[in-house]
């Protein structure tokens, strides 16, 4: 028997590629050297001795009643099942078992406890496969071996030699009992170069013989990934689950060993194939919104890249894989499929391929147009949940890429004209706030006119959403400017080969237009809604962005809010709005003063005199109204005839909007009064105006959380001059 | 609905060829160029929808195009679709496309059975080029597709039966649009099909998978139907149109269909009277077309007291061809093929998403 096996082995060797046999020999030799080394060190170790026994035992040694064999076998079995076997032991035991030196029974027993502690040397597997070629092993044992290989597949140290004998493994595919396992193994080993027309034909022959077997189809579908021009098939939905697991025999022991050794070699307990499962079983007549599935393209295969190593996105499952294959990734046949995979989007962002983007834009634009504009066939978006899902996905994709697609932009400009303002509002407004900077020459026609119509005819809630959307849009533009303007310096002009020149001033014009537009919307909106505090809050959000454009985003532009926003906020009945307005004024002042400084230093830009005047007007009014109890005086922004005021019979009307009598702070004043003079029954607010109480009252207000007011007071009012009662309490520090 | 689409659509964007890049400059440039061509919906869009056309000239198309191929196109009713530009379509690869498509059809028909590409199958697909239809050098050559089916029990050399046919074409496509496309894209925006819907779906799906394009239905709106009516009537002196039939649908309850057939000579005389003297001989303006249709409508009103302008024009037909609102067209005479195809190419290009 030994003779026979030796003979076949040489036969095999000669039929292998020479390199393979050489390396397998060298590995044998190195193994032997290592053994020798170990023998010197630990001659006494029974485990080593047992391994030595198995590597040296003669073929044909009887196994029944062989105590030595039994003892050694039990020893190795115990180690295997408890700690797992080291690579050399796997190698020795696998060779021993597959050579059938002591018959099939031992072979099965050995295979069952062959639990690797760390890795499986691939040479051991290659040698075992060569034993398989001898053809003496019982079919059931062969199956057991293949199942073992599949179970430990991910622990095999490298697979290149296994791939080198792809043809040998493939030859087993005709064996009826083995072919499910062989197909699975081949599936794991297949590379582009292993797909050959004759193999395709063989598998198709098998298909005609055996019918539509899932394992054949899965292997063929992988072949299709590599060479869609060789084979084509449509997988029915029930066959999408993948290969079965074959790890039942070893699963428990393997996971126990791994837990014990804490190895993070992921033995793939679930080696299932990941095919995109179709979610919509319900067939829509026209499903524009369904993402195409990832599949490799026939186009690029058939041309230049045939010789090149290609990695298709279908096989891409992890980020490290993406990094490893970044140079040879192939774009799928339908770019729309990328929308479903963030890994693929990473790649798309990296390659910056014009035609890829164009393809994606064509697909996306088509889907959006057909669904929302042409509404062909099924009477519009009857399936709004699908549309919702689609737009949400689009939104998250755009956020992932941190920019909007041009087809989305083009679609939105058209859609705004027909939109009712309620269909999928959060999504549409979300997409709208992603659009890139629109040149000032057409911003009004494209964006403002349709938005204005919607704004004035819709509910309060919609108005708030629009202001919020425009705020986000402005934020994106400003962020984009602050990131990219730095690269190019302040003087941004285009390459000479384009006819148009877009400069920093062009960008500023657009921002200016946007801010002014929101100013107009806000003014009318507040009037329409009776200065609703929710709307006011969104408007103040917007101006919080606007007031910091210079300091936060480096854009030399200061735009003041219109009177229609400023006064409603100042006279608001809730303290929060007044507080926020104070904060905004404080930031305006910071921005203006630092812009002024820079202007004097560099003379690079110019803040218009009018803006400063506007600011001073507002500031003057705010201070005299809140602090100095002066109002309605000639020369101020709001003038009312004294006689008319007298007619209203309001006592001391000029005090009615100071920090005590202001409707927003009246409650605080009352509270403060109670705390100061708990015993007093009649309330005299004027007593708060005494210098000491006034200071306390300020501290009290600040302690209520009115940070904006605090910053405003600290920056704009000279508190040292608080000596006088109501005369010269404040002073205006800025007068430009 | 259709009319609204056509006026709102501004499908052209020179910037589409621009690199989408995250740099200040390029992003600026692309949006600036977009303003020039795509998004100024008023003035420039109005220019894009043609307000005048060349009068159809009878030409012997068979001089440029193989008569056998012309025979395949005429006298059949085609269902129209538009298709976005095909990525990496090559006219040199048609043979391999034939194999791919036939294998694809079989594998889709037999779910779960892998099919070797290039095998002899129940279906045979022929791709061929129809040379000579293209008018400018930017127009891609027309591609004709035929699907033949082998009868299960037919003798070996029996003629296979054509079960489906279709063609992709572009005649006098908008030059700016075609120029703006990168070289990898081939624009054949008009797709005409004839045959079972199931096969049409399969062919479309194969094109979508292979050339990353998208299909959508292409209707012919009232304005374009009116154009067709006028163009065909204008041909009467050269070729007898025999009749001019127009079908309106009026929005009554229940809807009322009005079929209005006009004697060819009367139609032509009305058309001739509409032709303004000052316009040059070979150009027709939209005003003349609307005037012509208004004339027909007022005549009808005088007799039946029904105002047809309240309804929508659904269908027109003459001996030269017929065309339906839902996107069906039949060209009976080969002599005016280019004129009709140009009009349809325009409609298809107006549907392009970018």
């Amino acid at each position: 028997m030994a003779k026979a096996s030796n003979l076949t082995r040489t036969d095999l060797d000669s039929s292998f590629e020479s390199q393979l046999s050489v390396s397998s020999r060298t590995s044998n030799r190195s193994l032997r050297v290592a053994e020798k080394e170990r023998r010197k060190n630990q001659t006494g170790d029974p485990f080593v001795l047992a391994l030595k026994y198995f590597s040296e035992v003669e073929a044909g040694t009887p196994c029944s009643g062989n105590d030595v064999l039994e003892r050694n076998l039990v020893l190795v079995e115990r180690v295997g099942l408890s700690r797992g076997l080291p690579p050399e032991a796997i190698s020795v035991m696998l060779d021993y078992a597959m050579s059938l030196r002591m018959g099939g029974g031992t072979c099965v027993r050995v295979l069952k406890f062959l639990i690797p502690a760390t890795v499986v040397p691939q040479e051991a597997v290659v040698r075992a496969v060569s034993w398989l070629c001898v053809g003496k092993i019982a079919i059931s044992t062969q199956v057991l071996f293949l199942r073992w290989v599949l179970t430990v597949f991910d622990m095999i140290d490298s697979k290149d030699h296994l791939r080198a004998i792809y043809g040998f493994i493939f030859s087993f595919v005709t064996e009826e009992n083995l072919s499910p396992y062989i197909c699975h193994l081949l599936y794991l080993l297949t590379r582009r170069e292993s797909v050959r027309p004759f193999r395709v034909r063989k598998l198709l022959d098998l298909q005609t013989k055996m019918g539509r077997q899932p394992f054949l189809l899965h292997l063929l579908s992988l072949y299709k990934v590599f060479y869609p021009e060789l084979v084509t098939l449509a997988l029915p939905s029930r066959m999408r689950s993948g290969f079965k697991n074959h790890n039942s025999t070893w699963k428990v022991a393997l996971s126990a060993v791994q837990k014990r050794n804490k190895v993070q070699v992921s033995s793939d307990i679930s080696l299932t194939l990941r095919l995109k499962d179709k979610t919509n079983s319900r067939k829509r007549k026209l499903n524009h919104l369904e993402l195409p599935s990832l599949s490799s393209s026939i186009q690029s295969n058939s041309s230049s890249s045939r010789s090149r190593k290609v990695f298709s996105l279908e096989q891409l499952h992890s980020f490290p894989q993406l990094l490893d294959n970044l140079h040879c990734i192939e774009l799928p046949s339908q770019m729309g499929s990328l929308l479903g995979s963030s890994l693929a989007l990473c790649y798309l962002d990296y390659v910056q391929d014009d035609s890829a983007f164009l393809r994606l834009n064509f697909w996306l634009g088509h889907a959006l147009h057909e669904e929302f504009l042409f509404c062909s066939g099924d009477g519009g978006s009857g399936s709004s949940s699908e549309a919702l899902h689609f737009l949400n996905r689009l939104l998250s994709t755009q956020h992932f890429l941190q920019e909007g697609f041009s087809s989305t932009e083009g679609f939105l400009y058209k859609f705004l004209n027909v939109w009712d303002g309620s269909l999928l509002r959060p999504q549409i407004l979300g997409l709208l706030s992603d659009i890139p900077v629109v040149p000032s020459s057409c911003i009004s026609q494209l964006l403002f006119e349709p938005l204005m119509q919607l704004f004035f005819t819709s509910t309060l809630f919609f108005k708030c959403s629009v202001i919020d959307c425009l705020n986000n849009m402005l934020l994106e533009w400003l962020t984009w400017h602050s990131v990219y303007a730095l690269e190019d310096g302040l003087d941004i002009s285009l390459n000479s080969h384009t006819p148009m020149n877009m400069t920093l001033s062009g960008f500023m014009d657009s921002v200016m237009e946007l801010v002014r537009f929101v100013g107009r919307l806000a003014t009318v909106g507040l009037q329409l809604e009776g200065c609703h505090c929710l709307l006011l809050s969104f408007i103040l959000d917007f101006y919080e962005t606007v007031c910091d454009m210079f300091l936060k985003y480096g854009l030399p532009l200061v735009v003041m809010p219109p009177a229609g926003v400023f006064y409603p906020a100042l006279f608001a009945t809730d303290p929060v709005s007044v507080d926020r307005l104070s904060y905004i004024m404080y930031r305006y002042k910071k921005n203006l003063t630092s812009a002024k400084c820079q202007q004097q230093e560099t003379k690079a830009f110019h803040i218009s005199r009018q803006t400063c005047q506007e600011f001073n007007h507002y500031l003057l009014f705010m201070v005299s109204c809140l602090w100095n109890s002066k109002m309605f005086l000639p020369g101020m922004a709001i003038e009312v005839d004294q006689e008319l005021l007298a007619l209203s019979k309001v006592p001391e009307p000029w005090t009615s909007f100071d920090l005590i009598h202001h409707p927003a702070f009246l409650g605080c004043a009352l509270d403060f009064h109670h705390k100061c003079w708990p015993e007093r029954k009649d309330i005299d607010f004027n007593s708060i105006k005494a210098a000491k109480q006034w200071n306390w009252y300020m501290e009290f207000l600040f302690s209520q959380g009115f940070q904006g007011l605090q910053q405003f007071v600290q920056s704009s009012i000279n508190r040292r001059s608080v000596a006088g009662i109501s005369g010269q309490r404040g002073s205006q520090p800025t007068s430009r | 609905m259709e009319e609204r689409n056509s006026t709102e659509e501004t499908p052209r964007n020179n910037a589409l060829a621009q690199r989408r890049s995250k740099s200040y400059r390029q992003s600026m440039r692309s949006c600036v160029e977009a303003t020039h061509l795509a998004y100024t919906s008023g003035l420039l869009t109005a220019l894009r929808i043609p307000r005048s056309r060349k009068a159809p000239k009878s030409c012997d198309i068979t001089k440029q195009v193989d008569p056998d191929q012309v025979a395949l196109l005429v006298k059949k009713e085609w269902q129209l679709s538009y298709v976005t530009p095909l990525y990496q379509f090559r006219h040199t690869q048609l043979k391999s496309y034939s194999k791919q498509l036939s294998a694809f059809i079989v594998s889709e028909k037999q779910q779960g059975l892998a099919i070797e590409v290039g095998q002899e199958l129940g279906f045979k697909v022929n791709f061929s080029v129809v040379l000579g239809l293209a008018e400018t050098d930017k127009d891609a050559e027309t591609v004709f597709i035929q699907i033949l089916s082998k009868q299960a029990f037919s003798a070996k050399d029996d003629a296979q039966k054509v079960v489906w046919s279709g063609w992709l074409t572009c005649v006098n496509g908008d030059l700016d649009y075609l120029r703006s496309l990168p070289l990898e894209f081939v624009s054949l925006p008009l797709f005409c099909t004839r045959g079972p819907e199931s096969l049409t779906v399969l062919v479309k799906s194969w094109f979508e998978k292979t050339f990353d394009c998208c299909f959508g239905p292409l209707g012919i709106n009232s304005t374009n139907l009116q154009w067709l009516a006028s163009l065909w009537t204008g041909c009467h002196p050269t070729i007898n149109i025999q009749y001019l039939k127009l079908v309106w649908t009026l929005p009554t309850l229940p809807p009322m269909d009005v079929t209005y057939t006009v004697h060819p000579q009367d139609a032509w005389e009305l058309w001739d009277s509409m032709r303004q003297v000052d316009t040059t001989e070979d150009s027709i303006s939209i005003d003349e077309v609307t005037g012509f249709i208004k004339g027909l409508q007022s005549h009808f009103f005088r007799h039946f007291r029904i105002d047809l302008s309240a309804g929508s024009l659904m269908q027109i037909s003459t001996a030269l061809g017929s065309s339906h609102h839902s996107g069906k067209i039949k060209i009976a005479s080969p002599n005016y093929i280019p004129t009709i195809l140009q009009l349809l190419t325009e409609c298809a290009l107006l549907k392009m998403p970018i």
Side-chain angles (χ1 to χ4, degrees):
Chain A
M1 189 171 187
K3 219 176 184 180
S5 71
N6 276 341
L7 203 89
T8 33
R9 184 150 183 190
T10 16
D11 281 347
L12 266 176
D13 274 352
S14 59
S15 64
F16 271 90
E17 288 161 49
S18 61
Q19 177 213 357
L20 177 65
S21 61
V22 165
S23 68
S24 99
R25 273 179 200 145
T26 41
S27 104
N28 269 345
R29 198 176 308 136
S30 64
L31 201 72
R32 245 171 275 137
V33 171
E35 281 291 298
K36 224 174 263 173
E37 199 99 330
R38 196 150 304 181
R39 212 176 301 156
K40 269 182 211 161
N41 296 338
Q42 21 172 257
T43 18
D45 190 344
F47 179 62
V48 176
L49 289 174
L51 284 185
K52 185 168 171 275
Y53 170 79
F54 285 117
S55 62
E56 286 170 0
V57 69
E58 288 283 318
T61 312
C63 67
S64 58
N66 187 338
D67 288 344
V68 189
L69 169 71
E70 187 59 27
R71 201 179 56 235
N72 286 328
L73 212 50
V74 167
L75 184 74
V76 180
E77 187 172 32
R78 208 174 50 229
V79 174
L81 292 179
S82 59
R83 280 182 284 148
L85 296 174
E88 317 85 75
I90 297 270
S91 201
V92 169
M93 293 313 290
L94 193 61
D95 193 42
Y96 164 75
M98 297 299 285
S99 63
L100 296 181
R101 264 177 267 174
M102 287 188 179
T106 344
C107 174
V108 171
R109 186 168 167 193
V110 170
L111 278 176
K112 281 187 178 164
F113 65 71
L114 223 47
I115 308 290
T118 51
V119 292
V120 176
Q122 72 162 333
E123 297 314 328
V125 183
V126 170
R127 232 175 310 135
V129 172
S130 70
W131 282 117
L132 214 59
C133 296
V134 176
K136 292 205 165 170
I137 306 170
I139 286 293
S140 62
T141 316
Q142 292 187 16
V143 168
L144 186 71
F145 165 71
L146 286 173
R147 283 173 50 213
W148 178 80
V149 174
L150 290 172
T151 306
V152 300
F153 187 81
D154 279 6
M155 303 166 87
I156 300 176
D157 50 8
S158 71
K159 278 119 189 164
D160 46 339
H161 289 171
L162 268 177
R163 290 203 180 102
I165 56 166
Y166 190 93
F168 284 88
I169 300 174
F170 190 89
S171 65
F172 288 105
V173 88
T174 45
E175 202 76 50
E176 199 170 331
N177 295 311
L178 296 186
S179 70
Y181 309 98
I182 290 293
C183 280
H184 194 168
L185 186 58
L186 291 173
Y187 185 89
L188 297 173
L189 289 173
T190 300
R191 284 288 171 273
R192 193 181 161 80
E193 50 279 7
S194 22
V195 181
R196 297 283 163 77
F198 66 87
R199 289 192 182 132
V200 173
R201 221 160 290 142
K202 188 99 212 161
L203 290 177
L204 289 171
D205 281 350
L206 271 179
Q207 183 185 245
T208 39
K209 240 182 265 167
M210 304 166 75
R212 299 165 192 198
Q213 299 294 343
F215 50 87
L216 280 177
L217 284 176
H218 288 314
L219 185 57
L220 279 165
S221 72
L222 183 66
Y223 279 25
K224 181 185 161 221
V225 168
F226 292 115
Y227 281 100
E229 71 269 31
L230 281 183
V231 61
T232 178
L233 83 167
L235 270 189
S237 50
R238 66 190 157 79
M239 273 192 202
R240 286 167 200 276
S241 52
F243 286 101
K244 281 193 200 119
N245 278 323
H246 315 294
N247 54 12
S248 52
T249 319
W250 301 273
K251 191 176 174 181
V252 180
L254 192 59
S255 55
V257 165
Q258 285 192 340
K259 204 178 280 172
R260 192 175 176 280
N261 295 350
K262 296 201 175 66
V263 239
Q264 286 308 309
V265 185
S266 59
S267 95
D268 213 326
I269 297 291
S270 60
L271 261 179
T272 44
L273 127 156
R274 299 205 332 192
L275 270 172
K276 186 185 170 256
D277 52 335
K278 290 235 171 180
T279 39
N280 49 339
S281 49
R282 182 171 58 96
K283 277 247 162 137
R284 272 185 77 194
K285 197 176 159 204
L286 295 154
N287 36 2
H288 327 287
L289 298 184
E290 191 193 322
L291 299 191
S293 56
L294 270 177
S295 59
S296 39
S297 87
I298 299 179
Q299 296 303 310
S300 46
N301 271 347
S302 49
S303 56
S304 59
S305 63
R306 191 187 283 272
S307 51
R308 205 159 52 90
K309 188 176 166 246
V310 186
F311 194 85
S312 80
L313 280 173
E314 250 170 312
Q315 300 170 283
L316 186 65
H317 298 310
S318 69
F319 197 73
Q321 252 183 331
L322 173 70
L323 293 182
D324 290 345
N325 297 290
L326 211 49
H327 58 289
C328 57
I329 281 181
E330 179 196 67
L331 287 166
S333 65
Q334 284 172 286
M335 288 298 293
S337 55
L338 291 195
L339 222 56
S341 145
S342 55
L343 276 176
L345 285 172
C346 278
Y347 179 68
L348 181 69
D349 202 37
Y350 161 76
V351 285
Q352 296 281 322
D353 179 336
D354 291 351
S355 359
F357 278 114
L358 194 51
R359 284 158 67 195
L360 189 53
N361 273 319
F362 271 126
W363 175 79
L364 187 61
H366 174 263
L368 290 170
H369 276 77
E370 281 292 335
E371 183 69 20
F372 297 104
L373 286 173
F374 302 157
C375 305
S376 47
D378 55 355
S381 40
S383 54
S384 62
S385 74
E386 240 165 289
L388 180 80
H389 186 71
F390 182 81
L391 291 186
N392 279 334
R393 173 167 269 169
L394 177 58
L395 265 174
S396 65
T397 304
Q398 294 200 44
H399 290 164
F400 183 82
L401 295 173
Q402 299 188 353
E403 63 192 308
F405 291 109
S406 63
S407 53
T408 320
E409 190 189 353
F411 159 75
L412 283 172
Y413 293 148
K414 294 175 206 166
F415 188 63
L416 277 185
N417 290 303
V418 292
W419 189 35
D420 62 358
S422 73
L423 179 76
L424 300 164
R425 176 171 48 206
Q427 286 72 29
I428 297 292
L429 288 177
L431 289 176
L432 194 62
S433 56
D434 279 349
I435 63 170
V437 184
V438 189
S440 58
S441 55
C442 57
I443 192 169
S444 151
Q445 190 187 23
L446 294 180
L447 205 59
F448 295 166
E449 280 170 21
L451 262 186
M452 204 142 59
Q453 281 202 346
L454 285 168
F455 185 84
F456 292 137
T457 53
S458 303
T459 59
L460 169 74
F461 188 71
F462 180 80
K463 292 190 175 85
C464 295
S465 322
V466 168
I467 300 282
D468 188 45
C469 158
L470 293 172
N471 185 22
N472 289 333
M473 188 188 293
L474 179 66
L475 277 173
E476 301 235 344
W477 292 8
L478 291 172
T479 313
W480 177 77
H481 163 81
S482 64
V483 172
Y484 295 108
L486 291 178
E487 286 177 4
D488 293 16
L490 272 181
D491 182 33
I492 301 153
S493 55
L494 282 172
N495 307 346
S496 50
H497 63 262
T498 51
M500 292 290 276
N501 247 17
M502 173 54 95
T503 56
L504 176 67
S505 72
F507 175 74
M508 275 168 44
D509 284 346
S510 295
V511 171
M512 181 81 105
E513 287 285 331
L514 180 63
V515 174
R516 286 200 177 138
F517 172 67
V518 175
R520 288 201 301 278
L521 280 190
T523 305
V524 185
L526 283 172
Q527 277 177 19
L528 284 176
E529 300 293 338
C531 298
H532 198 284
C533 62
L534 187 65
L535 180 60
L536 187 61
S537 162
F538 278 97
I539 292 169
L540 291 176
D541 274 344
F542 182 79
Y543 280 101
E544 266 182 32
T545 312
V546 172
C547 67
D548 255 345
M549 287 195 297
F550 179 72
L551 282 180
K552 258 195 190 164
Y553 302 97
L555 187 70
L557 182 69
V558 180
V559 193
M560 296 305 294
V565 171
F566 178 78
Y567 292 107
L570 183 59
F571 297 139
T573 49
D574 60 314
V576 178
S577 301
V578 185
D579 180 60
R580 294 184 68 189
L581 181 71
S582 309
Y583 173 75
I584 288 169
M585 289 302 285
Y586 158 71
R587 290 306 304 178
Y588 266 123
K589 189 184 168 194
K590 282 252 166 189
N591 276 266
L592 273 171
T593 37
S594 75
K596 203 87 181 170
C597 284
Q598 202 171 323
Q599 193 174 338
Q600 273 159 2
E601 275 172 27
T602 60
K603 303 207 188 306
F605 58 92
H606 183 67
I607 299 287
S608 82
R609 176 173 286 278
Q610 202 197 338
T611 311
C612 294
Q613 277 176 353
E614 259 179 275
F615 172 77
N616 282 334
H617 255 113
Y618 285 153
L619 187 69
L620 189 70
F621 186 85
M622 219 167 143
V623 170
S624 43
C625 163
L626 292 177
W627 195 266
N628 292 337
S629 314
K630 277 190 203 162
M631 272 187 86
F632 314 123
L633 294 180
M636 293 183 80
I638 299 180
E639 274 182 56
V640 181
D641 189 39
Q642 292 299 325
E643 289 172 23
L644 202 65
L645 273 177
L647 278 180
S648 74
K649 295 197 176 133
V650 177
E652 300 186 319
W654 51 89
T655 64
S656 49
F657 283 100
D658 62 15
L659 280 174
I660 299 166
H661 296 93
H662 193 295
F665 294 104
L666 197 61
C668 295
L670 210 61
D671 212 11
F672 177 75
H673 194 275
H674 277 309
K675 283 197 171 127
C676 258
W677 301 282
E679 69 286 354
R680 265 207 230 171
K681 290 228 173 80
D682 53 334
I683 291 163
D684 176 22
F685 280 136
N686 281 330
S687 52
I688 303 179
K689 288 201 174 169
K692 204 167 81 181
Q693 272 78 14
W694 180 260
N695 276 341
W696 285 352
Y697 180 53
M698 284 305 115
E699 293 305 320
F700 175 73
L701 282 184
F702 300 159
S703 73
Q704 300 289 305
F706 298 121
Q707 304 299 321
L709 195 66
Q710 184 174 12
Q711 283 165 323
F712 174 74
V713 167
Q714 280 165 0
S715 74
S716 299
I717 296 172
N718 189 351
R719 300 271 310 270
R720 272 170 302 173
S721 61
V722 177
I725 306 276
S726 63
Q728 294 297 315
R729 206 181 278 141
S731 70
Q732 287 70 52
T734 44
S735 54
R736 295 186 186 96
Chain B
M1 178 61 85
E2 285 295 329
E3 276 158 301
R4 191 197 70 200
N5 289 339
S6 61
T7 49
E8 267 160 19
E9 243 190 310
T10 50
R12 199 159 40 133
N13 181 358
N14 233 14
L16 55 81
Q18 293 295 342
R19 186 184 183 81
R20 187 213 65 153
S21 156
K22 279 193 179 180
S23 94
Y24 199 114
R25 298 184 168 182
Q26 303 213 340
S27 189
M28 271 300 185
R29 179 177 59 195
S30 69
C31 79
V32 168
E33 292 205 351
T35 63
H36 251 251
L37 282 157
Y39 302 136
T40 42
S41 50
L43 194 75
L44 284 166
T45 313
L47 291 180
R48 294 225 352 92
I49 296 171
R51 299 189 52 80
S52 71
R53 289 172 192 282
K54 275 189 188 162
K57 259 184 276 173
S58 172
C59 60
D60 193 4
I61 190 84
T62 48
K63 274 185 189 155
Q64 310 162 31
V65 187
D66 183 1
D68 291 345
Q69 286 181 319
V70 173
L72 290 173
L73 305 183
V74 296
K75 293 184 180 135
K76 286 170 185 144
E77 189 171 66
W78 300 98
Q79 179 69 47
L80 303 176
S81 309
Y82 71 89
V83 54
T84 60
L86 311 177
Y87 178 65
Q88 291 199 335
F89 179 88
R90 294 198 184 84
H91 284 83
T92 50
Q93 299 275 320
L94 296 185
K95 247 194 195 130
S96 113
Y97 297 157
S98 306
K99 284 183 202 161
Q100 300 284 345
L101 181 55
S102 60
F104 179 80
I105 290 171
V106 174
S107 83
E108 286 290 326
K109 290 223 165 209
Q110 310 205 358
Q111 291 271 310
L113 191 71
I115 304 295
E116 188 188 354
V117 174
Q119 216 181 344
E120 275 288 299
L121 301 156
F123 286 98
K124 190 170 182 302
V125 178
N126 273 336
F127 275 72
S128 53
V129 187
V130 182
L131 287 170
L133 271 183
E135 298 253 302
T136 66
D137 58 347
K138 283 283 160 195
D139 288 343
E141 292 291 351
T142 301
V143 174
F144 193 84
I145 307 159
Q146 258 185 340
I147 300 179
L148 306 129
S149 160
K150 222 184 274 170
Q151 249 48 37
F153 301 105
S154 63
K156 249 212 165 146
D157 43 353
D158 247 8
Q160 290 173 327
K161 205 178 125 205
V162 177
V163 287
W164 186 93
S165 42
W167 41 300
L168 289 150
T169 189
C170 177
V171 175
N172 252 330
D174 185 282
L175 284 177
D176 288 336
Y177 185 79
L178 296 179
R179 282 198 193 111
S180 72
L181 285 173
L183 285 177
E184 300 99 313
F185 290 86
V186 172
S187 183
L188 285 166
L190 184 64
F191 184 47
C192 313
T193 58
R194 186 165 171 273
E197 177 68 17
S198 60
L199 277 174
T200 310
V201 169
L202 286 182
V203 173
K204 282 181 180 174
S205 138
W206 181 80
F207 267 94
E208 283 172 358
K209 286 196 165 75
T210 315
F211 306 108
D212 205 357
C213 54
C214 307
F215 288 84
L218 179 67
I220 306 173
N221 63 26
S222 305
T223 317
N224 286 315
L225 286 175
Q226 292 178 6
W227 268 112
L228 282 171
S230 313
L231 292 176
W232 274 328
T233 309
C235 300
H236 184 63
T238 12
I239 295 183
N240 190 348
I241 63 168
Q242 291 175 18
Y243 57 92
L244 171 66
K245 193 170 94 178
L246 307 103
V247 179
W248 265 277
T249 296
L250 295 175
T252 54
L253 264 179
M256 178 163 62
D257 287 340
V258 175
T259 307
Y260 183 4
T261 313
V262 188
H263 189 274
Q265 192 57 33
D266 296 345
W268 189 79
E269 273 166 20
L270 177 63
W271 172 242
D272 196 43
S273 71
M274 283 299 152
R275 299 281 283 142
Q276 282 146 18
V277 196
D278 55 327
T279 51
T280 44
E281 193 52 30
D282 58 347
S283 138
I284 301 170
S285 79
I286 183 78
D287 301 326
E288 292 165 348
V289 172
T290 43
F292 174 59
I293 299 294
K294 279 222 176 85
L296 289 173
Q297 285 172 342
S298 63
H299 179 76
F300 194 83
F301 184 77
R302 215 171 298 134
H303 284 278
F304 301 99
R305 298 283 142 194
I306 292 174
D307 188 3
L308 290 175
S309 64
S312 47
L313 184 57
M314 299 304 283
Q315 192 184 333
I316 64 138
S317 51
T318 69
L320 292 184
S322 72
S323 148
H324 193 274
H325 173 81
S326 64
K328 288 197 186 93
I329 188 120
K330 181 172 161 184
I331 305 172
S333 156
N335 294 18
Y336 296 101
I337 283 185
T339 315
I340 308 300
L341 289 186
Q342 183 183 342
L343 186 134
L344 295 175
T345 304
E346 253 165 41
C347 296
L349 281 179
L350 277 169
K351 286 267 187 184
M352 293 298 130
I354 44 175

